[in-house]
Amino acid sequence: EKTPYNLYYIGEILEDFPNAKFVFITRDGRDASADYLESSFGPNNIYCASKLWRMGQKAVEPWREKLSNSQWLDIKYEDFVCDSENQVKRLCEFLGEDYSKNLLEFYQSDIAQRRGKTKDHAPLGHAISDEYIGIYKNLLSVRDQRIFSWVAGDVLSEMGYEDILEPLELSADQVAYYDEMDGRL
């Protein structure tokens, strides 16, 4: 089950499925925010995209510490796409599943090819690649990157990401405007 918002219900999931295993994929929040803004279902401004990414990272912190290595696995997106075979093997081992090279050929299935033709699922239509690393550099303005830094730069830094621009603090009116505009959609 891969519904992103499930990260806010880990306690409830564990109540019903005490042996559940959780895989949390962390991605550079600037890239994730750029993707949110390009998608048809995400936030519509950088403030809300940054806030959403930060909330997700903060929501899992207590569970990352509380759950054992047999129930919780962190994967860094950038590591996963740059070393797919070893990362998929690691994931299979965590899940207690057999590794098969066929797992890396998912994109050849009819379903992946169909879904890969849609805007929000284009990566499904081709092999795992690193082409989505650093997309924020082309998709986010310097101003947007600075707003991201103000909202979530501390968390980004804690996670080992670099090249974080100086934060641009928004006024209370600007924050209210961004929240209202996002809420309208």
Side-chain angles (χ1 to χ4, degrees):
E1 186 6 73
K2 65 175 197 72
T3 304
Y5 290 104
N6 279 347
L7 60 92
Y8 298 107
Y9 301 102
I10 294 172
E12 291 82 353
I13 292 169
L14 285 168
E15 285 177 21
D16 291 334
F17 305 99
N19 296 322
K21 293 187 174 208
F22 298 88
V23 177
F24 188 72
I25 300 175
T26 299
R27 182 179 183 197
D28 184 319
R30 297 162 295 188
D31 284 342
S33 294
D35 254 353
Y36 289 152
L37 295 173
E38 291 286 305
S39 76
S40 58
F41 56 83
N44 69 1
N45 64 69
I46 191 60
Y47 171 76
C48 291
S50 305
K51 185 171 73 170
L52 181 63
W53 182 83
R54 180 190 176 85
M55 286 172 29
Q57 302 310 307
K58 289 300 195 181
V60 301
E61 278 181 2
W63 298 104
R64 179 181 283 127
E65 295 170 12
K66 185 177 184 177
L67 295 176
S68 71
N69 290 341
S70 65
Q71 272 193 291
W72 187 272
L73 177 66
D74 278 304
I75 295 177
K76 197 168 184 177
Y77 171 87
E78 294 81 5
D79 293 342
F80 190 84
V81 300
C82 290
D83 187 17
S84 303
E85 186 169 8
N86 286 325
Q87 292 294 322
V88 171
K89 286 178 181 177
R90 181 174 163 241
L91 177 59
C92 286
E93 184 178 327
F94 172 74
L95 295 173
E97 296 291 333
D98 292 331
Y99 171 78
S100 167
K101 220 164 176 52
N102 293 341
L103 293 170
L104 297 173
E105 298 169 358
F106 65 91
Y107 63 94
Q108 295 176 3
S109 74
D110 291 340
I111 292 172
Q113 285 299 303
R114 269 195 315 277
R115 294 202 69 200
K117 291 178 183 170
T118 65
K119 176 183 174 191
D120 292 328
H121 300 288
L124 288 176
H126 57 79
I128 296 171
S129 82
D130 63 359
E131 72 181 280
Y132 297 99
I133 294 175
I135 61 170
Y136 75 89
K137 294 171 187 172
N138 292 319
L139 296 176
L140 297 181
S141 68
V142 169
R143 180 179 186 274
D144 283 353
Q145 291 177 52
R146 291 185 63 208
I147 292 170
F148 180 93
S149 294
W150 178 65
V151 176
D154 59 334
V155 176
L156 194 66
S157 180
E158 288 169 14
M159 300 176 83
Y161 292 97
E162 299 175 347
D163 300 323
I164 301 168
L165 298 183
E166 181 181 333
L168 174 63
E169 185 172 350
L170 299 177
S171 69
D173 287 344
Q174 288 172 309
V175 168
Y177 174 78
Y178 277 133
D179 278 334
E180 179 184 341
M181 297 317 296
D182 192 65
R184 288 183 183 187
L185 294 176

